[in-house]
Amino acid sequence: KKNVIVLGCSHTFGQGLPPGEHWVDVISRHNTERLRYWNLGVPGASGDCCVRRLWGAQRLIDPRIVIVCWPEISRRSWYGGDKSESIMGYDQKNRYQNAKSDLYNFLHNVFWVEKYGELFDAKIFHCFALESVEHPDLEGLNILSGQTIKNCWPHWDRFTQRQKYHSPSFALDNEHYGSQHHKRFAELLIQAFGNKLK
C-alpha cells in the first residue's frame, strides 16, 4: 500500500471529537485497498511545524501522498531558549509580523512541501482549516480553494431541504468545529481529489 500522511493542527488531529468523526477518519476510508493513512496532525501546529513533520517522516513512513490542511498563516514556530514552540498570531513574540510576512512565510512553507513532492515523487494536496489563501503562486497546485473546515457547513444544495442554523456545529470542547463540518469537508476533498487518491 502507498502511505498517505495528513498534516495540520488541532482540526486535523480531531481535537474535541470522538474517534471516527473528524475529517481525516472519513477520508481514511477512501481507497483503503491501495492506501494507508497516517494522521500527523498536532494541536497548536504552525505551517512551519507541518513542513518539519513532513520531511521528518520521509525515512520512516516514505509518504507517496501528502495532504496538508494549513493552519492559520499567522502561526509560527518560535526558536528561543531550549526548545521550539508554536505561537499564534496574537502572541507578543509575533508583534513584528504582519499580513505580508504571514503570506510570504506561508508561501515559503508551500514551496518546501511541493519540493518534497518533486524530490520523492509524491502527490501533494493542500486545504485549509480556517481561512483559505488565494495567491498567483498557488495556481496549478492541487488546492481545495474557497472551502475550509470552518466555512463548509451548513451547506445547501437543490436536493435537500433548507434549514436555518444560527451557529456552527461545535465539538465537545465547544471550541473546535463539530462532526458536521468535518464530514462535509471530507466529502469536498474526496469530490475534488478522489480520482487522484490512488
Side-chain angles (χ1 to χ4, degrees):
K1 292 184 179 184
K2 286 182 186 174
N3 285 325
V4 181
I5 64 168
V6 187
L7 300 156
C9 61
S10 54
H11 298 284
T12 299
F13 177 79
Q15 190 79 27
L17 291 168
E21 291 192 13
H22 61 80
W23 71 271
V24 181
D25 282 338
V26 176
I27 65 162
S28 68
R29 297 178 201 126
H30 177 76
N31 202 4
T32 55
E33 60 280 352
R34 299 188 70 183
L35 302 175
R36 181 184 304 108
Y37 294 82
W38 300 80
N39 184 352
L40 301 185
V42 178
S46 62
D48 308 330
C49 174
C50 293
V51 172
R52 282 196 317 276
R53 290 178 80 74
L54 167 61
W55 285 84
Q58 194 280 321
R59 281 193 174 191
L60 183 62
I61 300 176
D62 186 28
R64 295 303 168 150
I65 298 174
V66 178
I67 303 170
V68 185
C69 186
W70 294 101
E72 303 97 317
I73 64 173
S74 62
R75 287 187 183 180
R76 296 281 198 288
S77 289
W78 179 261
Y79 304 99
D82 299 331
K83 61 184 173 93
S84 72
E85 59 182 295
S86 290
I87 57 174
M88 310 302 178
Y90 53 79
D91 196 295
Q92 277 299 306
K93 292 173 183 170
N94 239 347
R95 64 186 173 274
Y96 300 115
Q97 303 298 334
N98 56 43
K100 196 171 193 176
S101 64
D102 289 345
L103 176 63
Y104 289 146
N105 189 64
F106 166 72
L107 294 173
H108 171 88
N109 286 327
V110 169
F111 169 82
W112 283 111
V113 171
E114 289 292 324
K115 182 56 76 173
Y116 177 93
E118 180 185 320
L119 290 175
F120 297 106
D121 194 29
K123 296 177 188 172
I124 308 293
F125 302 95
H126 304 274
C127 54
F128 300 94
L130 301 177
E131 301 297 331
S132 188
V133 177
E134 307 289 332
H135 191 274
D137 289 357
L138 302 177
E139 291 175 11
L141 303 181
N142 292 314
I143 294 183
L144 183 63
S145 186
Q147 296 288 330
T148 66
I149 294 172
K150 177 183 178 179
N151 73 12
C152 70
W153 187 87
H155 78 285
W156 176 84
D157 62 41
R158 60 193 174 102
F159 303 108
T160 57
Q161 179 64 40
R162 242 183 240 234
Q163 295 180 26
K164 282 188 178 182
Y165 294 95
H166 300 286
S167 65
S169 159
F170 284 111
L172 298 173
D173 63 1
N174 279 326
E175 185 178 334
H176 293 84
Y177 292 99
S179 56
Q180 290 93 335
H181 288 262
H182 285 259
K183 182 175 183 276
R184 175 67 180 152
F185 187 68
E187 290 168 356
L188 290 168
L189 273 171
I190 292 170
Q191 284 171 17
F193 304 127
N195 61 338
K196 297 180 180 181
L197 290 174
K198 56 185 178 183

